[in-house]
Amino acid sequence: DCELRRGGPSYTVDTLGGLRAQHGSRPLCLVLGADAFLGLPGWHRWAEILELAHLVVVRRPGSRLAPGAELAAAVAGRYCSSAAELASGPAGRVLVQEVTQLEISASAIRRLVAGGRDPRYLVPDAVRRLIAESGCYRASDGQGEG
């Protein structure tokens, strides 16, 4: 909720800076889709992100990851091959992780819950419990999402 409490625009670099201040030298990871990773040079103070957290880039199997010159220069020598390597320091490494894409959207999950159905197997159990306990997606008036 730190982004909600922050006045004005909320930038990832500011959120990571706050987390870094709270957690000292503990490793932090920012998980990004491949498209977001490739668009990093358009983000506010994007180069500082690499000093605040590791990047875990999630991509679909077989998809090509070709950063532009500016991003390629910034991440050169930072790639690692396993999640265990991320524990060796607080920030600055890049791990590319292939994942199987599932056709699941947050909007579809909200509609499912608002309709009184269970999102089991679509979200982790901890998230499922939180949704159930908070009632956050229940339809309040039967007219749509809650």
Side-chain angles (χ1 to χ4, degrees):
D1 67 346
C2 63
E3 292 185 340
L4 297 174
R5 290 184 278 120
R6 185 179 303 130
S10 184
Y11 297 106
T12 300
V13 69
D14 296 328
T15 301
L16 289 172
L19 290 170
R20 174 59 56 220
Q22 285 178 345
H23 298 286
S25 62
R26 183 177 185 184
L28 296 176
C29 295
L30 175 63
V31 180
L32 300 167
D35 292 345
F37 172 70
L38 294 175
L40 267 180
W43 292 26
H44 179 69
R45 295 173 29 215
W46 71 275
E48 294 175 42
I49 291 172
L50 289 164
E51 305 311 316
L52 296 168
H54 299 298
L55 300 182
V56 177
V57 181
V58 179
R59 73 176 179 143
R60 295 179 202 110
S63 66
R64 196 163 157 252
L65 192 63
E70 188 178 17
L71 180 59
V75 298
R78 294 178 180 265
Y79 287 98
C80 62
S81 59
S82 73
E85 292 178 65
L86 302 177
S88 67
R93 304 301 303 265
V94 178
L95 174 66
V96 177
Q97 190 69 48
E98 287 192 1
V99 295
T100 302
Q101 183 177 0
L102 299 175
E103 292 295 325
I104 301 170
S105 73
S107 298
I109 290 170
R110 286 191 296 271
R111 282 191 299 275
L112 183 104
V113 174
R117 298 195 327 244
D118 187 350
R120 179 178 228 156
Y121 307 118
L122 298 177
V123 297
D125 287 340
V127 172
R128 186 171 160 245
R129 280 191 299 277
L130 181 63
I131 289 170
E133 290 168 6
S134 70
C136 61
Y137 295 147
R138 282 189 219 127
S140 57
D141 59 5
Q143 298 297 314
E145 297 173 12

